[in-house]
Structure formats: structure tokens, C-alpha cells
Amino acid sequence: MKKIKFLNGFVLVLIVIYLIHFLGNAYITFFTDFTNQFEHLYKEFIFGYYTQFVGLIFSVLTFVGLLFIKNGLGEIIKEGFFNTNSATKFKIAGKLFLISGFLNLVFSIVLLFRSEEVLFLGEMAQGFLLMIIGFSLYIISDILQNGNLLKQENELTI
């Protein structure tokens, strides 16, 4: 249980880092003149000025997935390893990570072909990693559901 509590704290730190990142980007984007100096670069992007907000959508999906992981870990701490609430929350988090990773991967591939720069290969790897994490969470969710069924059957036989 110590490892689950440590993981819960680690996810909480990631959530705080994401919040600081969002607040910092929102401040720079909306309340300073910093982005005005790059307006000429937006003409080259796919969606123009709004290209920067496409990445924000992927980050929001990942952030919501982290919130579901945090809630799922909290359920494990409260009720034990095998329960349906944590399995459901991990399944939702896995789906969000899969969607975010897939969309990020597709967007990075489009940017790679559009700009022909090697810079987006790292972005593609991040999208692929998010997809792997999402699929892993989906598998963990199935393990928790099967463990819950075995636990219920064991309690019924006693």
C-alpha cells in the first residue's frame, strides 16, 4: 500500500505541475505582449494563430486523465485493491490517454509532413508513449475488475 500512496503523491505533483504550466501559458498568451512578436510565424502553421490551442486540447485531455488516475488511486487506498470504482476510473483515464496520444501523434505527423523538420519526431514519440500508457491503464482496469470478481466469489464461498 506504501507504493500506491507514493504513486498517488507523484500523480498529485504531476497535477500541480500541469496547473502551473496551464496558468503560465494562459498568462503569457492572454496578458502579455510576448506572443505578439511571433505573429508572422503563425501564417506558416496549419491553423494559423489557433495552432497553439490544438496542443492545449491534448494537454487538457491528459490533465483530466491524471485527475481520473488520482481518483482511482484514492479509491484503492480507501477500499482496497480490487473494487469496481477504481477500475472504472482507470478505464476512463486509459481512454483519455489513448485519445490524447492518438490525436497528438496524428497532429505531429501532419506537422512533420507539412514542415519537413525532424523536430516533430520527439512529439510523435510523446504521442506514442501516451498511447502506451493509456493502453496499460486499460489493461490494469481489466485486472482490477477480474480481481474484484474473484474476491466476490471467494467471499461467497466462505
Side-chain angles (χ1 to χ4, degrees):
M1 193 59 76
K2 288 181 183 180
K3 294 175 186 174
I4 298 295
K5 289 180 181 179
F6 176 76
L7 184 60
N8 191 31
F10 182 72
V11 170
L12 182 64
V13 168
L14 286 177
I15 289 171
V16 169
I17 289 172
Y18 257 91
L19 282 174
I20 291 170
H21 177 265
F22 285 143
L23 293 174
N25 281 344
Y27 178 76
I28 288 173
T29 302
F30 298 115
F31 300 113
T32 65
D33 295 337
F34 180 73
T35 57
N36 292 341
Q37 62 186 343
F38 301 110
E39 284 183 8
H40 65 281
L41 295 176
Y42 291 132
K43 295 175 186 172
E44 300 295 322
F45 292 143
I46 295 172
F47 298 115
Y49 174 76
Y50 300 104
T51 303
Q52 62 184 339
F53 299 114
V54 173
L56 180 67
I57 292 169
F58 306 145
S59 294
V60 167
L61 287 174
T62 305
F63 178 73
V64 173
L66 279 174
L67 291 177
F68 275 104
I69 290 173
K70 171 84 172 85
N71 290 339
L73 290 172
E75 292 290 329
I76 288 176
I77 292 171
K78 286 181 198 172
E79 299 179 20
F81 282 105
F82 301 114
N83 61 66
T84 57
N85 292 335
S86 63
T88 303
K89 291 179 182 179
F90 282 141
K91 187 173 281 192
I92 293 170
K95 288 178 183 178
L96 287 171
F97 275 37
L98 275 171
I99 291 169
S100 175
F102 179 74
L103 291 175
N104 194 0
L105 182 67
V106 168
F107 188 66
S108 296
I109 289 172
V110 169
L111 288 177
L112 177 68
F113 287 126
R114 170 109 168 138
S115 68
E116 298 176 1
E117 290 187 23
V118 182
L119 176 68
F120 295 108
L121 290 176
E123 295 280 332
M124 290 171 49
Q126 287 177 352
F128 190 68
L129 180 64
L130 270 177
M131 288 175 57
I132 290 172
I133 291 171
F135 190 67
S136 300
L137 285 169
Y138 209 77
I139 291 171
I140 290 171
S141 167
D142 285 342
I143 291 171
L144 290 175
Q145 284 179 339
N146 289 339
N148 186 32
L149 288 174
L150 288 172
K151 178 182 164 187
Q152 288 176 353
E153 288 177 7
N154 189 24
E155 289 173 356
L156 288 176
T157 58
I158 294 177

